[in-house]
Amino acid sequence: MTRSAMAHESLAGYQLRLPSFEGALDVLLSLIERERMEISNLSLVTVTDGFLAYIADMRDPPPAMLAEFAGIAARLLVLKSRSLLPRPDALEPETDVDDLAAQLRDYQQAKQSAEMLRDRHVSGVQTFSRGRRELEAPTRIVLVPPPLAHLHRALLRTLTRARPAPDVVAMTPLVTISDMIDRFRSFLSRSRRTSFRDMVGSETRSTRIAGFIALLTLWRRGEVHVRQDDLFGDIRIEGLADLGNADAAADD
């Protein structure tokens, strides 16, 4: 195989042309790995597009060339990813004279302790006793009562931080249409005649609405006869059937 054929099957004949670099692709990788060129200024998309344009005219690109480009591109991608990650600031060791003096004192103390232990070992002393420690006198605590004015101000601050008592709201009982039907039937079973105002006139608005719908339901079933002489006048109610049977409400 001639040299030109080998170059055609590898990236040796491919020249990369970028605004910041022009040359072989492996040379670019070598410069970046040796930190002689910033990879942050390199666009991997431009590198890939240039290579794709280079092999576009080839009828059957050599697998060796594609594999070599894939390896270099993967390496460039790793270097690019590392450059985007935050790096901790390098801390330069600072030499402090006080630190060196403290280290020297610790060294001298450790050396003296080692010599003392060696002498005790040579003399045959195998036990070590704890030195006597003087007990410290307990701290005397004297409680001084605060002035009366301070207590008064503290009480006022506590009262201002106290939470107010919650408001108690009475719950309105819920009356259903079925309940109103039972009420009408129970009353008309004892007295055949009544009026709507006598039945629900003093109730709440929701109860009056439920009562009116219940009255219409009984009238539709033919259980009551209703009559209203004047516009917005009171409704007269008269029972027409056996209203004591509460099971008829199941039709609704």
Side-chain angles (χ1 to χ4, degrees):
M1 182 181 294
T2 62
R3 181 176 300 179
S4 59
M6 295 176 59
H8 184 71
E9 293 183 359
S10 64
L11 291 177
Y14 174 63
Q15 296 293 318
L16 183 64
R17 291 178 175 82
L18 299 174
S20 58
F21 175 80
E22 183 173 351
L25 190 59
D26 56 348
V27 176
L28 174 65
L29 177 61
S30 177
L31 292 176
I32 293 176
E33 288 180 340
R34 295 178 183 178
E35 296 183 356
R36 295 183 180 180
M37 183 177 179
E38 291 290 338
I39 194 174
S40 58
N41 299 328
L42 179 64
S43 175
L44 299 183
V45 176
T46 305
V47 174
T48 305
D49 292 342
F51 178 74
L52 293 178
Y54 174 71
I55 65 174
D57 298 334
M58 297 183 182
R59 178 176 300 177
D60 189 10
M65 177 188 297
L66 299 179
E68 186 177 358
F69 176 80
I72 296 177
R75 182 60 182 169
L76 291 175
L77 182 60
V78 172
L79 296 175
K80 184 76 171 184
S81 302
R82 290 179 180 177
S83 66
L84 297 177
L85 295 176
R87 297 181 180 178
D89 298 335
L91 299 178
E92 297 181 357
E94 297 181 358
T95 303
D96 194 350
V97 179
D98 295 336
D99 293 342
L100 293 178
Q103 293 178 8
L104 181 59
R105 287 192 299 269
D106 294 340
Y107 172 74
Q108 291 177 351
Q109 185 176 2
K111 184 177 180 181
Q112 292 175 1
S113 300
E115 292 177 353
M116 181 189 67
L117 293 175
R118 184 187 58 186
D119 295 340
R120 295 178 67 88
H121 179 71
V122 172
S123 60
V125 178
Q126 302 294 331
T127 60
F128 301 90
S129 61
R130 179 181 298 178
R132 297 183 58 184
R133 181 179 180 183
E134 297 181 0
L135 298 178
E136 299 179 355
T139 304
R140 183 181 179 185
I141 302 176
V142 180
L143 300 177
V144 179
L148 184 59
H150 293 180
L151 293 177
H152 179 69
R153 288 196 295 268
L155 178 60
L156 292 179
R157 288 195 301 268
T158 304
L159 292 178
T160 55
R161 291 196 297 265
R163 297 182 179 179
D167 298 334
V168 179
V169 180
M171 300 295 295
T172 304
L174 180 63
V175 179
T176 63
I177 298 176
S178 179
D179 295 338
M180 294 304 300
I181 291 176
D182 293 339
R183 181 188 297 185
F184 277 112
R185 285 173 173 166
S186 177
F187 185 84
L188 292 176
S189 64
R190 299 188 304 269
S191 177
R192 288 292 180 178
R193 292 181 177 84
T194 185
S195 66
F196 186 78
R197 183 174 299 169
D198 293 338
M199 291 293 296
V200 295
S202 60
E203 300 288 346
T204 60
R205 181 173 181 270
S206 60
T207 304
R208 291 196 298 270
I209 294 174
F212 184 74
I213 298 176
L215 179 60
L216 292 178
T217 302
L218 293 174
W219 175 69
R220 180 176 58 84
R221 292 175 179 174
E223 298 183 17
V224 296
H225 175 72
V226 297
R227 181 168 58 90
Q228 187 178 30
D229 298 333
D230 301 326
L231 185 63
F232 301 112
D234 194 9
I235 302 175
R236 300 296 178 179
I237 307 171
E238 181 180 356
L240 298 178
D242 185 10
L243 301 177
N245 187 10
D247 294 336
D251 295 340
D252 292 337

